[in-house]
Each structure stands twice: as C-alpha cells, then as structure tokens.
Amino acid sequence: MPATRTETTSRTTPPDILILGITACPTGIAHTYMAAEKLEAAARELGYDIKVETHGSVGVEGTFSPEEISRADAIVIAADTQIDLARFAGKRLINARVADGIHQPQKLIEDALAAQPRSGGGAGEDTGVAPNGGADFGGTLYRALMNGVSYMIPFVVVGGLLIAISLSLGGEATPQGLVIPEGSFWLTINQIGVIGFTLMVPILSGFIAYAIADRPGLAPGMICGWIATTGAFYNSESGAGFIGGIVTGFLVGFVALGIKKIPVHRFIRPIMPILVIPVLTTLIVGGAFVLALGRPIAWVFESMTTFLTGLEGGSVVILGLILGAMVAFDMGGPINKTAFLFGGALIATGNPAPMGMVAAAIAVPPLGMGLATLIRGRYFSKPEREAGIAALFMGFFGITEGAIPLAAAKPLQVIPANMIGGAVAGGIAALFGVTDSVPHGGPIVAVFGAVSGVPMYFVALIVGAVVTALVSVLLLGISARRAGRTGTDAGTSTGVAASVASVASVASVASVAPASPAQPAPPLRKTVLDYIDERTIVLDVDETDRDAMIRTLAGLMTTTGRVSDVAAVAQAAFTREEHGTTGIGDGIAIPHAKSDGVTSPVIAFARSRNGIDWGSSDGSKATLIFLIAVPEADAGTEHLRVLAQLSRALMKPAFRAAIQSAATPADVLDALAVQVGATKAEPTPV
C-alpha cells in the first residue's frame, strides 16, 4: 500500500505541471512524513500535481516510475540524508533540508520550478551537499564522517577479530614480539586479518569522500587514504593512521566537488565523473599529502621521540602518563605509533620499562569503551554497542583500534576518556616498575609470560579501563543533560543533529515512523487509536519545563501497563533530544523513546496551557506534545505506520485546531478518529 500519492486539484495554474518530491531524515521518523504532507498541501494550494517519495524507516515508498520522472517539471528534495540524484539528469531540481520541507514547502516548489536544469547524466552529479546551501556546512561534515565510519566498522571488526584469534591460538612470545611460526595455518588467518585492517582507513577515507562528492570521490578517497597510512610515501615510519584517512576523505570530497562545478563543454561532461574528476582529484590530494602533509608528520614524530627520550631519565611516572595518553589518543594512528615505536626501540637497548607502560595503555581504549557500552548502553546506538562487544575482545589481544568506531562517532567524549584512562594505566605501570619484553600489549602478553610484575600490570589495565568507561559515561551524560536543559534546534531543523541521529537515534527510536497509506487500510490494520486512550491524555497542564513534561507523559503511560520503567523511558527521550530537538514548529513537539522499559508501543498526549520551549526552529513554544514510546527490541513496523498517520495529521491546521479546542480527552480521541478514519477504542484494563 503506497505511502505517497499524486494530488490533483482544481487549478488556477496550467494543469500539466507535475512536481516530484523526496523527503528523508536520518532516522526516517516523523519529519520524513511531515515534510511530505507539507509539500503535498503546498502543491495543492499552488494548483500543481505532486507525488512524494518517502525514504522512511520501512524503506522507500511511493517510488517514481520512469514515466513520472520523464513528465516531471521539477524535483524537490527535502532530505538530511544522501539521495541518489542520477535518475534526475536534465531536470530542474532543488536540494534542501527536511526542515525546509516542513517550514518552507511552497518556496521550495517555486525555487525548484525556477532552477536551471541539471547538467550531466551520470552519478557524477550526485552529492549530499545541498547546492543551494540548504544543508549547513557542519551537517555536511558530520554526515560524511558518519558515512565513512559506518562502512569502516565491518573492516575493523573482521580484521581485528581474525588477528586476535590467530595471535591467541597460534602466537609465540619472542624477543621480536608475538610471532606466528612460518607455515602455520594461523599465519594465514593473521594475514587475512591484516588485510582487513589495511583496508580500514582507505575505506573510511573513500566513503567520507563518497558522501560529499558521490561516486567521483570514491576511488580517489580510497587511494589517498592508502597513501595516508603508508608512511613510506612521506618518510614516516608509522603513517598518518585513521586521522590521516579522515583528512584525505574530506580533502578528496571537497576537491572533487569543486571540480564538478567547473563548467565544461557538453561533449566532456559524460567523462567527467568516470575519468577527469577521479584522476585530477587523486593527483591533487595525493600529491599534496605526499609533498606537503607527510613531511610535517615525520618531523612531528621525530620531535616527539626526542622529547620522550629526555623525559625518560627524569620522571618515570610522568613518562608513563604521557606514553599512556599518547597510545590512547588516536588508537593506532601516528601519535599512538610514535609512543609504540619509542617503547619498542628501548627494548633493544635493554630497557623494557617504557614498553611496559605502553603495553598497559594499549588495551585501555577498547576495554574501557566496550565496558562503557555495557554499563550505559542507552548512550550508544545498536551498531556502536555491537562494536563495543567486539572492542572488548580485541582489547584482550592488545588491539587498540577496536575503539576507533566509537571514537569516530563520539570523539569529544571518547577521546578524552581514552587519554585519561590510558594515562592512568601508563602511570600505574611506571610507578610499580612493570616491564614488557615484547613489542605488544594487552592481557595477551602477560598470558605468554612477556611481562614482569604481572599483578600490577593487570591492576593498571583494569583501573585504566574502568576510568575510561566512567569518564566516557560521565561526559556522555553531561552532553545529554546539557541538551535536556537547553534543547537544540540543530536536530531535525539542521543537518548536524539530523546526521547525528543517523548513528545515535538508532538507539533511541530507529523505528518510529514510516509513511501513512494512501488508500483505505485493511480492516485489521492498526491506527493511532490502538496506542493511545483517555488515560494517556492530559489537557491544559501548567508545566513549562521540557524534561518535566516528558517525565509526566512517561508516568501517564504506566496506567496502560505498557511501561514498566518510567525513568528508562524518560532517559531514552532525553537522549533522543540530545541528537536534535523533536520540536518541529507550529507549536508541536513529538518526543520519542525506544527503551527496554516499554513492553508495547504507546502514545501519550499533553496540551500545555502556556507552551514549553522545545527549541523549535520557528521559535514557537510547544503546546501540543505527543510522546511515543516503543520497546528496544521491537522489530515490527506497524507502529511506524501509525506514527506516520500522526505526523501527517499534525500538519493539518484543522486537526491542530480540533485538539487545541478539545474540552476532554475523549474529544482528542474523536479528532484523531476523524483523521485516521477509525473508531476510538476503549481503555484496555490493566
């Protein structure tokens, strides 16, 4: 049953104008469908036909046919995610934020009709960057980074686990480190894992570039990412690590995007995305990294090594703190490698103590962040929690890179926590004279007998990991509370928070809103009224604090028997607000929570007497607040369709007026019933 439809109205304008629209937000929840409803209403007012394709949590619905695309006069993209534009070659098109689709639908349609037809016919024209500035620069950067991280994670997990397994089952302790004998089956497994790790940074770089410049940026992004990790290109022993991959990814993306905007002859356009742009971008960014960026990195390494050598004779504890912080800072990157090379080099001189400090810190980031995902899982998305489990395993085998996915997703909270925990571990190891005679780290080296002072070595590991976990949870909690106090109009209203929602809203409400049906629903299909009744409705409350209102609504939900933990539901809603306000303007807010404290989907509604500051982009205070709560493990999509009904209904002034004037909760249910064509249900006894 398609979720979108073609609207045909009596016209005051030419009858043959067809507008095609695409709406999407990173979570595919309410805003996708609100924007669709607004665009349809604006087209009706202008007298145009319109069909909207929604990219929601249940997939793409209302897909355009080739005939519709051919007939379309203009395309309106209101999305905070990357949309493939290749099929719209030669069409007038405007690309804007999903919030603009909600607040400025008529302007978007008019701007699309006034736009110049898109040139070219290939994917080289595709980009996640709104050409009209519809997406802010910060949002573009974050979406690109998250795109790279999402593609990188499988390589980290597969490569790291294979290396860890091979070292565990086939490794032998030698003066050169943990070595797998030649000809061993485990050496083959290790080499396969190394391939995964080797590809990790090029994949990160390539898909960052892809998110900015689309396919023309993919190959140069991967090639330049490989250059970043290959220090031989610029006289560095350790390479630039994943930080270098991020730099090359962004450089490639924006260079390719700039080249795409250069006017060229129409005969050259077809080869631009497959030949000209990739070759020129690779030469420009690759050359710049080799000639300009690589040499300063090598100089920094040498300077750091000299500095650390000077510290070694003075204060061993300070050296341990510094080495531990360096190891944990970029997790396998250049600074980590500098500390590692320093510790490893001193083993050959008969001084294994610095390596003991490094070895203790090496496992702290993956162990600490893995522990953090276990003790405060609600602060992390489902993919991040899965990465946390893998990080615990990799941390045991001394693979610091296991924490990279979490650090890339939440750098401001994770990297400081890693550094503090790493410094604590390195300092404890230094204080108690722990030594390591092989250039490797983690608990595995103690298992193989390469460490002296084993008890204090494990104390250093455990304390450092616990410190990292607690500090990261503390910082994530502070961020959540800060967002809870002030709200933010950067989520559904701007590209940044909407992009953050692509990683973090998976944990809060990744499945709360696809599209409403365009045709009558089957008799057994659920509606909004199956999730709300008079017990979960409160009118004319005096509350003016957003968090207090969320707690009030969560409390109402307990009367239905569908919520077992009010605090957990409220916290999940607060965490969702951290990633972007759910105040969508016009006096409406739709906070939502996905939590284990919910046993079955439920909706609560409050009408505020004085309005609540919800951080809406239009500055309006929220007077109509719907809280939606769903179970963490809910894999169904029925409640998503229901939320789509609610989202579309709230875009209609008549419906808002009806619930604003409702005298009783029953009147609210009656207004909902009119919108969804259903009969209100009686409360289910608890």
Side-chain angles (χ1 to χ4, degrees):
M1 200 183 303
T4 54
R5 57 196 181 278
T6 301
E7 298 286 348
T8 305
T9 65
S10 59
R11 299 174 178 84
T12 59
T13 54
D16 57 348
I17 293 181
L18 172 64
I19 306 296
L20 297 183
I22 295 179
T23 61
C25 63
T27 52
I29 307 179
H31 304 86
T32 298
Y33 306 99
M34 291 176 176
E37 187 72 24
K38 283 288 192 177
L39 286 171
E40 290 171 353
R44 283 197 300 269
E45 185 175 339
L46 292 169
Y48 301 145
D49 286 351
I50 188 170
K51 180 174 181 179
V52 180
E53 179 180 289
T54 55
H55 293 224
S57 294
V58 293
V60 177
E61 299 184 270
T63 304
F64 306 138
S65 68
E67 292 75 18
E68 288 169 333
I69 295 174
S70 176
R71 190 166 68 87
D73 295 276
I75 315 295
V76 176
I77 310 292
D80 288 338
T81 60
Q82 187 177 11
I83 302 296
D84 185 359
L85 308 182
R87 52 184 168 152
F88 304 126
K91 291 294 180 180
R92 302 179 188 276
L93 182 146
I94 189 167
N95 196 346
R97 301 174 303 174
V98 68
D100 293 332
I102 295 174
H103 301 298
Q104 306 177 57
Q106 184 169 325
K107 182 177 183 298
L108 292 185
I109 293 173
E110 292 170 346
D111 288 349
L113 288 169
Q116 292 296 317
R118 297 179 69 246
S119 60
E125 296 296 323
D126 301 346
T127 175
V129 182
N132 66 333
D136 64 282
F137 184 67
T140 297
L141 295 181
Y142 202 93
R143 277 193 299 276
L145 178 61
M146 291 300 101
N147 194 62
V149 169
S150 67
Y151 282 98
M152 176 190 71
I153 287 176
F155 290 84
V156 178
V157 173
V158 172
L161 291 181
L162 289 179
I163 291 174
I165 291 170
S166 65
L167 288 172
S168 169
L169 301 179
E172 297 178 358
T174 71
Q176 289 75 40
L178 284 174
V179 176
I180 301 174
E182 289 290 338
S184 169
F185 166 77
W186 298 111
L187 181 60
T188 302
I189 299 300
N190 183 272
Q191 291 168 340
I192 295 173
V194 169
I195 291 173
F197 260 14
T198 303
L199 293 174
M200 176 183 70
V201 173
I203 291 296
L204 171 66
S205 176
F207 281 96
I208 288 175
Y210 175 81
I212 297 171
D214 208 78
R215 276 166 276 188
L218 183 59
M222 289 187 177
I223 292 170
C224 293
W226 190 287
I227 292 173
T229 60
T230 308
F233 280 111
Y234 42 88
N235 299 321
S236 170
E237 291 187 33
S238 58
F242 88 98
I243 293 178
I246 292 174
V247 172
T248 56
F250 284 122
L251 286 176
V252 166
F254 287 111
V255 169
L257 191 62
I259 296 174
K260 285 166 62 176
K261 293 181 179 180
I262 298 175
V264 297
H265 192 277
R266 61 189 180 89
F267 292 128
I268 300 178
R269 285 188 202 130
I271 66 170
M272 286 290 288
I274 61 174
L275 178 62
V276 178
I277 296 174
V279 171
L280 287 180
T281 303
T282 301
L283 289 174
I284 292 170
V285 178
F289 207 89
V290 170
L291 299 177
L293 301 178
R295 292 182 185 277
I297 292 175
W299 176 83
V300 170
F301 288 169
E302 294 172 3
S303 300
M304 285 186 175
T305 302
T306 302
F307 173 69
L308 290 174
T309 302
L311 279 178
E312 192 272 332
S315 174
V316 175
V317 174
I318 291 178
L319 177 61
L321 293 171
I322 294 175
L323 287 175
M326 290 177 63
V327 165
F329 173 66
D330 57 356
M331 296 151 285
I335 296 177
N336 169 287
K337 287 295 192 295
T338 299
F340 184 84
L341 291 173
F342 175 78
L346 291 181
I347 294 176
T349 68
N351 183 5
M355 192 63 220
M357 308 168 201
V358 171
I362 280 175
V364 165
L367 292 177
M369 291 313 304
L371 180 61
T373 63
L374 293 179
I375 63 178
R376 281 295 186 273
R378 64 176 179 268
Y379 289 156
F380 302 90
S381 68
K382 183 178 179 182
E384 289 165 358
R385 292 196 298 272
E386 292 172 350
I389 298 300
L392 287 171
F393 190 71
M394 285 186 267
F396 178 81
F397 297 102
I399 301 174
T400 319
E401 289 88 342
I404 287 178
L406 296 160
K410 295 177 169 63
L412 296 181
Q413 293 83 17
V414 173
I415 292 178
N418 284 347
M419 293 179 67
I420 293 172
V424 168
I428 293 175
L431 182 63
F432 291 95
V434 173
T435 66
D436 180 11
S437 60
V438 299
H440 198 72
I444 188 67
V445 294
V447 173
F448 282 104
V451 172
S452 69
V454 172
M456 294 314 301
Y457 179 69
F458 277 104
V459 168
L461 279 173
I462 294 170
V463 173
V466 169
V467 168
T468 288
L470 294 179
V471 172
S472 64
V473 167
L474 175 64
L475 294 177
L476 288 166
I478 290 173
S479 297
R481 287 191 292 274
R482 182 179 296 136
R485 288 194 303 270
T486 62
T488 173
D489 59 3
T492 51
S493 309
T494 71
V496 175
S499 299
V500 175
S502 72
V503 174
S505 282
V506 173
S508 58
V509 221
S511 47
V512 189
S516 66
Q519 301 172 0
L524 297 180
R525 172 151 286 184
K526 292 186 177 181
T527 72
V528 174
L529 297 176
D530 291 292
Y531 298 97
I532 186 172
D533 60 44
E534 294 184 22
R535 295 170 297 179
T536 59
I537 298 174
V538 59
L539 302 178
D540 299 326
V541 296
D542 294 320
E543 187 58 69
T544 58
D545 178 74
R546 189 199 68 183
D547 289 5
M549 175 56 73
I550 288 175
R551 293 190 183 94
T552 296
L553 291 173
L556 288 177
M557 291 176 171
T558 61
T559 62
T560 67
R562 299 180 180 183
V563 168
S564 58
D565 189 337
V566 172
V569 172
Q571 183 57 55
F574 299 153
T575 301
R576 170 60 185 86
E577 295 293 334
E578 176 187 357
H579 304 303
T581 180
T582 56
I584 53 106
D586 293 325
I588 303 166
I590 311 181
H592 33 267
K594 190 175 184 185
S595 169
D596 289 329
V598 184
T599 58
S600 162
V602 59
I603 299 174
F605 168 70
R607 187 175 68 199
S608 171
R609 190 188 306 275
N610 300 312
I612 299 172
D613 183 3
W614 220 278
S616 301
S617 61
D618 64 357
S620 65
K621 290 187 175 182
T623 57
L624 307 176
I625 302 104
F626 285 87
L627 173 64
I628 297 99
V630 299
E632 177 71 34
D634 196 327
T637 60
E638 194 62 40
H639 63 280
L640 304 183
R641 301 182 186 280
V642 171
L643 182 57
Q645 292 178 345
L646 177 60
S647 301
R648 287 177 176 267
L650 284 168
M651 293 297 97
K652 298 177 181 178
F655 173 65
R656 296 200 299 271
I659 56 178
Q660 282 283 18
S661 61
T664 66
D667 293 339
V668 174
L669 296 178
D670 288 339
L672 282 168
V674 169
Q675 291 300 317
V676 301
T679 304
K680 66 181 181 179
E682 295 300 323
T684 302
V686 179

